[in-house]
Amino acid sequence: MRRTFKCYATMLKLRLLTWDVKDTLLRLRIPVGESYAAEAQAHGLQVEAEVLNRTFHWAYQAQAQRFPNYGQDRGLSSKQWWLDVVMETFRLSGVHEDKVLLPIAEKLYYDYCSNRTWELLPGASKTLQQCRQLGICMGVISNFDRRLPEILAQCGLQQHFEFVLSPENVGFAKPDKRIFLEALRISGVPPPLAAHVGDDYMNDYRAPREAGMHSFLIMTARKTDSWEAEVPQEHILSTLTDLPSLIEKG
């Protein structure tokens, strides 16, 4: 059965605006497989980038299923969680020398905390500045790990946000609505005066609505057939710069 959602016939009044980060405000400069292949080559290994792209997704999905939320309840740190993903990515690609893989994994872990790896999406900085000028409190709700504040700082975005919530500092991840409820609690804003912006239907559109918030979905190149019938056009942003004209301070 098709669900219906309230459409915005007038400016949406907000006191809190939360943001996803990856593929909403920031994106990788090059695909994971290419950066992994380049680092492997620097250590004398030849592995095809396309192969590494595939094996990364296999390793990541398996790790996320086995140790959700970066394995916090199993005593893992997010750094160890990621080191294991990187090393398994290479093992699945046919490289098994752990003495070589560990320094590669360590280097990649820190590379992915740098603005050499991340770039702003078109309109991200301008949109954040305009929303901030409206006087609306802004925060981040992301499933990224503890490196996120440093990434935001390196990319010149940290100053826009009052808080950054992630599975490591809250204890649960999107699409669990409790991470959105925590944002409402610490900001002291009631759900009808809050909205979330992101690129993932379940994590960034449905989940905040389960917490009583509004939400906007960024249109991406992903296949949208599974959700497009459920999302009113008024809730879809073809570009980030569309957002400021739709909201005002409540």
Side-chain angles (χ1 to χ4, degrees):
M1 176 170 47
R2 175 174 173 172
R3 299 182 63 183
T4 59
F5 296 103
K6 179 181 176 182
C7 296
Y8 306 133
T10 59
M11 298 276 280
L12 182 62
K13 295 182 181 295
L14 297 176
R15 286 170 45 198
L16 174 65
L17 185 61
T18 61
W19 295 83
D20 176 50
V21 175
K22 185 178 181 296
D23 296 327
T24 297
L25 297 172
L26 298 175
R27 65 186 175 195
L28 293 172
R29 292 183 182 273
I30 62 173
V32 169
E34 291 184 25
S35 61
Y36 280 33
E39 190 58 37
Q41 187 173 28
H43 285 77
L45 299 175
Q46 296 292 328
V47 190
E48 292 291 331
E50 290 185 7
V51 173
L52 288 166
N53 260 330
R54 289 197 301 271
T55 58
F56 168 78
H57 289 293
W58 297 339
Y60 177 87
Q61 292 298 332
Q63 185 81 331
Q65 185 173 8
R66 185 182 181 191
F67 300 113
N69 294 353
Y70 301 109
Q72 288 187 92
D73 60 348
R74 303 286 292 275
L76 287 180
S77 66
S78 60
K79 179 181 179 181
Q80 187 59 56
W81 193 96
W82 275 112
L83 294 180
D84 291 345
V85 168
V86 175
M87 294 175 70
E88 184 64 11
T89 295
F90 280 98
R91 292 188 192 106
L92 292 172
S93 302
V95 181
H96 299 282
E97 296 85 354
D98 283 359
K99 289 183 179 180
V100 178
L101 293 183
L102 183 57
I104 290 175
E106 290 269 3
K107 178 64 163 50
L108 287 168
Y109 177 83
Y110 289 106
D111 282 351
Y112 274 76
C113 192
S114 166
N115 60 6
R116 295 187 302 274
T117 301
W118 300 95
E119 64 181 3
L120 273 67
L121 269 80
S125 183
K126 178 182 178 181
T127 300
L128 289 172
Q129 290 172 3
Q130 290 177 326
C131 293
R132 192 179 184 191
Q133 288 168 0
L134 291 173
I136 299 171
C137 172
M138 294 197 296
V140 166
I141 300 178
S142 170
N143 284 351
F144 212 88
D145 60 66
R146 68 179 62 186
R147 293 171 293 177
L148 185 54
E150 177 61 23
I151 293 169
L152 293 171
Q154 290 242 346
C155 294
L157 298 182
Q158 189 179 33
Q159 73 274 12
H160 295 298
F161 304 115
E162 298 298 321
F163 58 84
V164 176
L165 300 184
S166 69
E168 284 192 278
N169 61 17
V170 179
F172 23 79
K174 298 183 294 185
D176 191 321
K177 70 178 182 180
R178 288 178 293 177
I179 197 168
F180 295 97
L181 294 175
E182 178 64 10
L184 296 169
R185 185 191 69 79
I186 63 178
S187 63
V189 174
L193 292 176
H196 180 74
V197 183
D199 72 305
D200 185 273
Y201 173 67
M202 290 300 298
N203 288 346
D204 299 313
Y205 186 78
R206 285 280 299 270
R209 288 176 176 269
E210 294 295 329
M213 297 169 60
H214 302 275
S215 56
F216 293 96
L217 197 61
I218 299 290
M219 180 64 71
T220 68
R222 299 179 186 179
K223 182 177 175 63
T224 59
D225 293 351
S226 62
W227 57 257
E228 62 183 357
E230 295 195 23
V231 182
Q233 286 299 311
E234 293 84 355
H235 301 173
I236 298 174
L237 304 175
S238 59
T239 175
L240 286 171
T241 54
D242 290 343
L243 181 63
S245 64
L246 302 175
I247 62 176
E248 62 183 353
K249 186 174 181 181

